[in-house]
Amino acid sequence: MNPKISIVTISYNCEAEIEATILSIINQTYENKELLIIDGASKDNTLSIIKEYESQFNGCMKWISEPDDGIYDAMNKGVELARGKWFYFIGADDYFYDSAVLNRIFGKGNNINEGVGLIVGKALFGDKVRSYRLSSKMFLENTLLHQAVFYSRKIFMDGFRYNKEFRVSSDYDLNFYCYKQGFVPLYLNVMVCRFSLEGISSQVHFQSYKEEMAVRKKYIRRKWLCPFFALYSYSRYVIRKIVMLIK
Protein backbone atom coordinates (compact mmCIF):
# COMPACT_ATOMS: atom_id res chain seq x y z
CA MET A 1 0.00 0.00 0.00
CA ASN A 2 1.23 3.48 -0.81
CA PRO A 3 2.28 5.35 2.35
CA LYS A 4 0.07 7.97 4.01
CA ILE A 5 1.42 11.50 3.63
CA SER A 6 0.67 14.02 6.39
CA ILE A 7 0.61 17.58 5.05
CA VAL A 8 0.88 20.23 7.76
CA THR A 9 -0.12 23.81 7.00
CA ILE A 10 0.21 26.73 9.41
CA SER A 11 -2.16 29.64 8.99
CA TYR A 12 -2.93 33.01 10.54
CA ASN A 13 -5.00 35.71 8.87
CA CYS A 14 -4.21 34.44 5.38
CA GLU A 15 -7.60 34.63 3.67
CA ALA A 16 -5.97 35.84 0.45
CA GLU A 17 -3.63 32.83 0.14
CA ILE A 18 -5.05 29.80 1.97
CA GLU A 19 -7.56 28.79 -0.70
CA ALA A 20 -4.91 28.30 -3.40
CA THR A 21 -2.81 26.25 -0.99
CA ILE A 22 -5.75 24.00 -0.07
CA LEU A 23 -6.67 23.55 -3.72
CA SER A 24 -3.11 22.53 -4.58
CA ILE A 25 -3.49 19.75 -1.98
CA ILE A 26 -7.03 18.71 -2.99
CA ASN A 27 -5.91 18.46 -6.62
CA GLN A 28 -3.12 16.00 -5.87
CA THR A 29 -3.93 12.78 -7.73
CA TYR A 30 -2.30 10.76 -4.94
CA GLU A 31 -5.11 9.66 -2.62
CA ASN A 32 -3.47 8.44 0.60
CA LYS A 33 -2.93 11.81 2.21
CA GLU A 34 -4.23 13.90 5.09
CA LEU A 35 -4.25 17.66 5.59
CA LEU A 36 -3.67 19.15 9.03
CA ILE A 37 -4.26 22.91 9.29
CA ILE A 38 -3.02 24.56 12.46
CA ASP A 39 -4.52 28.02 12.65
CA GLY A 40 -3.42 30.61 15.18
CA ALA A 41 -6.92 31.96 15.89
CA SER A 42 -7.31 33.95 12.69
CA LYS A 43 -9.52 37.02 12.83
CA ASP A 44 -10.27 37.28 9.12
CA ASN A 45 -12.10 34.81 6.83
CA THR A 46 -9.39 32.13 6.92
CA LEU A 47 -11.51 29.70 8.96
CA SER A 48 -14.52 30.13 6.70
CA ILE A 49 -12.39 29.15 3.71
CA ILE A 50 -10.96 26.13 5.57
CA LYS A 51 -14.44 24.91 6.51
CA GLU A 52 -15.65 25.36 2.94
CA TYR A 53 -13.23 22.70 1.68
CA GLU A 54 -13.29 20.33 4.66
CA SER A 55 -15.86 17.95 3.16
CA GLN A 56 -13.77 17.45 0.02
CA PHE A 57 -11.14 15.58 2.03
CA ASN A 58 -13.57 12.80 3.01
CA GLY A 59 -12.56 12.79 6.65
CA CYS A 60 -8.84 13.17 5.92
CA MET A 61 -8.62 16.79 6.97
CA LYS A 62 -8.25 18.08 10.52
CA TRP A 63 -7.95 21.64 11.67
CA ILE A 64 -7.64 23.49 14.94
CA SER A 65 -7.79 27.20 15.60
CA GLU A 66 -6.33 28.54 18.83
CA PRO A 67 -3.64 30.96 19.98
CA ASP A 68 -0.11 29.60 19.79
CA ASP A 69 3.44 30.58 20.64
CA GLY A 70 4.53 31.11 17.07
CA ILE A 71 4.90 29.15 13.86
CA TYR A 72 7.04 26.37 15.33
CA ASP A 73 4.69 25.80 18.24
CA ALA A 74 1.98 25.36 15.61
CA MET A 75 4.15 22.93 13.64
CA ASN A 76 4.67 20.82 16.77
CA LYS A 77 0.89 20.62 17.14
CA GLY A 78 0.73 19.36 13.57
CA VAL A 79 3.37 16.72 14.31
CA GLU A 80 1.34 15.44 17.26
CA LEU A 81 -1.79 15.12 15.09
CA ALA A 82 -0.06 13.56 12.08
CA ARG A 83 -0.65 9.87 11.33
CA GLY A 84 1.33 9.54 8.12
CA LYS A 85 4.59 7.78 7.38
CA TRP A 86 5.93 10.93 5.73
CA PHE A 87 5.47 14.53 6.92
CA TYR A 88 5.38 17.55 4.65
CA PHE A 89 5.21 21.15 5.87
CA ILE A 90 3.80 23.78 3.52
CA GLY A 91 3.14 27.45 4.20
CA ALA A 92 -0.32 28.89 3.77
CA ASP A 93 1.04 30.92 0.86
CA ASP A 94 3.03 28.10 -0.81
CA TYR A 95 1.71 25.56 -3.32
CA PHE A 96 2.56 22.17 -4.76
CA TYR A 97 4.21 22.58 -8.16
CA ASP A 98 1.41 20.67 -9.89
CA SER A 99 -1.25 18.02 -9.22
CA ALA A 100 1.07 15.03 -9.72
CA VAL A 101 3.83 15.82 -7.20
CA LEU A 102 2.86 13.24 -4.58
CA ASN A 103 2.13 10.60 -7.20
CA ARG A 104 5.55 11.03 -8.81
CA ILE A 105 7.22 10.43 -5.46
CA PHE A 106 4.97 7.95 -3.66
CA GLY A 107 2.76 6.47 -6.39
CA LYS A 108 2.53 2.89 -7.58
CA GLY A 109 5.92 1.34 -8.24
CA ASN A 110 7.83 4.02 -6.33
CA ASN A 111 9.00 2.01 -3.35
CA ILE A 112 11.03 4.16 -0.96
CA ASN A 113 13.74 2.21 0.88
CA GLU A 114 13.03 1.90 4.61
CA GLY A 115 16.44 3.35 5.37
CA VAL A 116 15.59 6.71 3.82
CA GLY A 117 14.96 9.53 6.30
CA LEU A 118 14.39 12.49 3.99
CA ILE A 119 13.14 12.82 0.42
CA VAL A 120 14.59 15.95 -1.16
CA GLY A 121 13.17 17.47 -4.32
CA LYS A 122 13.41 20.79 -6.14
CA ALA A 123 11.54 24.06 -5.72
CA LEU A 124 10.49 26.97 -7.89
CA PHE A 125 11.94 29.85 -5.89
CA GLY A 126 10.44 32.94 -7.47
CA ASP A 127 11.28 32.29 -11.13
CA LYS A 128 14.33 30.10 -10.45
CA VAL A 129 14.51 26.33 -10.03
CA ARG A 130 16.63 25.37 -7.05
CA SER A 131 18.11 22.05 -5.92
CA TYR A 132 19.15 21.15 -2.39
CA ARG A 133 21.57 18.82 -0.61
CA LEU A 134 21.99 17.64 2.97
CA SER A 135 25.75 18.12 3.36
CA SER A 136 28.57 19.41 5.53
CA LYS A 137 27.73 22.89 4.22
CA MET A 138 25.06 22.75 6.92
CA PHE A 139 27.77 24.13 9.22
CA LEU A 140 27.69 27.35 7.20
CA GLU A 141 23.99 27.71 6.40
CA ASN A 142 20.74 25.84 5.94
CA THR A 143 21.15 23.79 2.77
CA LEU A 144 17.58 22.47 2.53
CA LEU A 145 14.35 24.31 1.79
CA HIS A 146 11.67 23.08 4.20
CA GLN A 147 9.01 23.02 1.49
CA ALA A 148 11.14 20.88 -0.84
CA VAL A 149 11.58 18.04 1.68
CA PHE A 150 9.44 15.15 2.92
CA TYR A 151 10.51 14.04 6.40
CA SER A 152 10.15 10.48 7.66
CA ARG A 153 7.98 9.97 10.71
CA LYS A 154 10.92 8.26 12.41
CA ILE A 155 12.73 11.62 12.71
CA PHE A 156 10.00 12.85 15.03
CA MET A 157 9.61 9.49 16.74
CA ASP A 158 13.32 9.81 17.46
CA GLY A 159 12.42 12.81 19.59
CA PHE A 160 12.85 15.91 17.45
CA ARG A 161 10.45 18.79 18.01
CA TYR A 162 10.68 22.30 16.63
CA ASN A 163 12.23 24.79 19.04
CA LYS A 164 9.50 27.36 19.53
CA GLU A 165 12.01 29.84 20.95
CA PHE A 166 13.18 30.39 17.38
CA ARG A 167 11.16 32.73 15.21
CA VAL A 168 12.54 31.75 11.79
CA SER A 169 15.27 29.11 12.09
CA SER A 170 13.84 25.97 13.65
CA ASP A 171 13.70 24.33 10.21
CA TYR A 172 17.49 24.87 10.06
CA ASP A 173 17.61 23.15 13.45
CA LEU A 174 15.61 20.21 12.03
CA ASN A 175 17.85 19.85 8.98
CA PHE A 176 21.05 20.12 11.02
CA TYR A 177 19.64 17.49 13.40
CA CYS A 178 18.99 15.17 10.46
CA TYR A 179 22.54 15.68 9.21
CA LYS A 180 24.16 15.05 12.60
CA GLN A 181 21.96 12.02 13.35
CA GLY A 182 22.84 10.46 10.01
CA PHE A 183 19.37 10.28 8.50
CA VAL A 184 19.76 9.19 4.88
CA PRO A 185 18.51 11.57 2.16
CA LEU A 186 17.01 10.48 -1.15
CA TYR A 187 17.41 13.06 -3.90
CA LEU A 188 14.78 13.13 -6.62
CA ASN A 189 14.61 15.18 -9.80
CA VAL A 190 11.06 16.22 -8.95
CA MET A 191 9.68 19.74 -8.68
CA VAL A 192 7.86 19.82 -5.35
CA CYS A 193 6.64 23.33 -4.65
CA ARG A 194 6.24 26.91 -5.67
CA PHE A 195 7.80 28.82 -2.80
CA SER A 196 6.47 32.22 -1.80
CA LEU A 197 9.08 34.96 -1.46
CA GLU A 198 6.83 36.75 1.02
CA GLY A 199 7.34 34.27 3.89
CA ILE A 200 8.97 35.40 7.09
CA SER A 201 12.02 33.16 6.69
CA SER A 202 12.73 34.61 3.23
CA GLN A 203 13.12 38.12 4.59
CA VAL A 204 16.56 39.54 5.36
CA HIS A 205 16.77 40.60 9.00
CA PHE A 206 19.35 40.16 11.71
CA GLN A 207 17.07 37.93 13.82
CA SER A 208 17.49 35.08 11.34
CA TYR A 209 21.27 35.33 11.52
CA LYS A 210 21.27 35.41 15.32
CA GLU A 211 19.16 32.27 15.34
CA GLU A 212 21.37 30.67 12.70
CA MET A 213 24.34 31.12 15.02
CA ALA A 214 22.40 29.68 17.96
CA VAL A 215 21.42 26.58 15.95
CA ARG A 216 24.98 26.04 14.75
CA LYS A 217 26.35 26.32 18.29
CA LYS A 218 24.17 23.33 19.33
CA TYR A 219 25.90 21.01 16.87
CA ILE A 220 29.52 22.20 16.79
CA ARG A 221 31.66 20.14 19.14
CA ARG A 222 34.70 22.42 18.96
CA LYS A 223 33.17 25.50 20.54
CA TRP A 224 36.25 27.62 19.83
CA LEU A 225 35.15 27.58 16.18
CA CYS A 226 31.85 29.30 16.95
CA PRO A 227 33.18 32.90 16.72
CA PHE A 228 34.51 32.21 13.21
CA PHE A 229 31.17 30.82 12.08
CA ALA A 230 29.45 33.80 13.72
CA LEU A 231 31.66 36.15 11.71
CA TYR A 232 30.71 34.27 8.55
CA SER A 233 26.99 34.63 9.35
CA TYR A 234 27.31 38.33 10.11
CA SER A 235 29.31 38.95 6.90
CA ARG A 236 26.67 37.14 4.86
CA TYR A 237 23.95 39.25 6.49
CA VAL A 238 25.79 42.51 5.69
CA ILE A 239 26.40 41.48 2.07
CA ARG A 240 22.73 40.57 1.53
CA LYS A 241 21.65 43.89 3.07
CA ILE A 242 23.98 45.81 0.76
CA VAL A 243 22.69 43.89 -2.28
CA MET A 244 19.11 44.71 -1.32
CA LEU A 245 19.94 48.41 -0.92
CA ILE A 246 21.62 48.49 -4.32
CA LYS A 247 18.57 46.90 -5.94
Side-chain angles (χ1 to χ4, degrees), residues 77 148 173 233 242:
K77 293 178 182 180
D173 188 18
S233 289
I242 290 173

Side-chain angles (χ1 to χ4, degrees), residues 194-241:
R194 301 173 185 270
F195 179 71
S196 170
L197 297 179
E198 303 300 321
I200 187 170
S201 62
S202 65
Q203 300 169 16
V204 179
H205 46 71
F206 192 58
Q207 179 68 23
S208 65
Y209 290 90
K210 287 173 61 180
E211 292 184 7
E212 181 181 282
M213 290 183 280
V215 169
R216 192 183 295 125
K217 190 174 182 179
K218 288 177 57 178
Y219 298 103
I220 294 178
R221 287 185 294 175
R222 296 179 177 86
K223 300 302 181 187
W224 60 270
L225 288 171
C226 290
F228 298 98
F229 284 112
L231 180 60
Y232 169 81
S233 289
Y234 183 69
S235 300
R236 196 158 58 92
Y237 163 75
V238 171
I239 290 170
R240 288 186 67 186
K241 273 294 189 182

Side-chain angles (χ1 to χ4, degrees), residues 4-6 75 79 82 84-90 106 116-120 134 138 142-157 160 162 170-179 183-184:
K4 178 180 283 292
I5 313 303
S6 294
M75 285 185 178
V79 168
K85 184 173 183 178
W86 292 93
F87 294 3
Y88 180 72
F89 301 89
I90 186 169
F106 301 104
V116 172
L118 307 86
I119 300 172
V120 183
L134 185 69
M138 195 67 69
N142 192 2
T143 61
L144 297 180
L145 177 68
H146 213 199
Q147 291 89 336
V149 182
F150 294 84
Y151 296 91
S152 171
R153 182 181 189 85
K154 59 190 174 186
I155 295 170
F156 300 93
M157 293 294 289
F160 182 86
Y162 291 99
S170 203
D171 50 336
Y172 180 32
D173 188 18
L174 167 60
N175 294 330
F176 216 142
Y177 175 85
C178 291
Y179 174 74
F183 285 103
V184 177

Side-chain angles (χ1 to χ4, degrees), residues 6-235:
S6 294
I7 303 166
V8 179
T9 300
I10 310 304
S11 66
Y12 181 69
N13 289 348
C14 53
E15 62 182 8
E17 301 87 12
I18 189 71
E19 183 173 30
T21 301
I22 292 174
L23 285 172
S24 85
I25 298 167
I26 288 176
N27 291 334
Q28 289 299 303
T29 56
Y30 187 85
E31 294 184 359
N32 196 13
K33 60 185 181 291
E34 64 176 1
L35 173 60
L36 308 165
I37 300 180
I38 314 300
D39 181 75
S42 290
K43 297 176 176 60
D44 62 1
N45 290 321
T46 297
L47 286 183
S48 297
I49 297 170
I50 291 171
K51 292 174 182 177
E52 179 182 346
Y53 289 99
E54 186 172 8
S55 63
Q56 296 191 37
F57 283 88
N58 299 318
C60 291
M61 172 181 169
K62 299 176 185 176
W63 61 270
I64 59 174
S65 182
E66 61 187 21
D68 55 48
D69 292 328
I71 186 172
Y72 295 117
D73 180 38
M75 285 185 178
N76 283 335
K77 293 178 182 180
V79 168
E80 297 300 329
L81 289 173
R83 295 295 176 264
K85 184 173 183 178
W86 292 93
F87 294 3
Y88 180 72
F89 301 89
I90 186 169
D93 55 353
D94 300 318
Y95 323 107
F96 278 116
Y97 181 73
D98 61 25
S99 62
V101 171
L102 295 182
N103 209 46
R104 290 192 190 102
I105 299 173
F106 301 104
K108 186 177 180 180
N110 297 340
N111 296 317
I112 308 297
N113 190 292
E114 288 296 325
V116 172
L118 307 86
I119 300 172
V120 183
K122 297 182 177 182
L124 188 63
F125 201 89
D127 59 353
K128 298 178 181 179
V129 175
R130 294 194 178 181
S131 302
Y132 305 92
R133 287 289 186 273
L134 185 69
S135 72
S136 58
K137 288 184 179 180
M138 195 67 69
F139 284 96
L140 296 177
E141 58 188 320
N142 192 2
T143 61
L144 297 180
L145 177 68
H146 213 199
Q147 291 89 336
V149 182
F150 294 84
Y151 296 91
S152 171
R153 182 181 189 85
K154 59 190 174 186
I155 295 170
F156 300 93
M157 293 294 289
D158 194 50
F160 182 86
R161 290 296 183 273
Y162 291 99
N163 185 343
K164 64 182 182 179
E165 298 302 316
F166 291 138
R167 183 174 172 226
V168 295
S169 298
S170 203
D171 50 336
Y172 180 32
D173 188 18
L174 167 60
N175 294 330
F176 216 142
Y177 175 85
C178 291
Y179 174 74
K180 293 293 285 185
Q181 293 296 318
F183 285 103
V184 177
L186 171 64
Y187 302 108
L188 296 179
N189 186 27
V190 174
M191 290 288 292
V192 176
C193 74
R194 301 173 185 270
F195 179 71
S196 170
L197 297 179
E198 303 300 321
I200 187 170
S201 62
S202 65
Q203 300 169 16
V204 179
H205 46 71
F206 192 58
Q207 179 68 23
S208 65
Y209 290 90
K210 287 173 61 180
E211 292 184 7
E212 181 181 282
M213 290 183 280
V215 169
R216 192 183 295 125
K217 190 174 182 179
K218 288 177 57 178
Y219 298 103
I220 294 178
R221 287 185 294 175
R222 296 179 177 86
K223 300 302 181 187
W224 60 270
L225 288 171
C226 290
F228 298 98
F229 284 112
L231 180 60
Y232 169 81
S233 289
Y234 183 69
S235 300

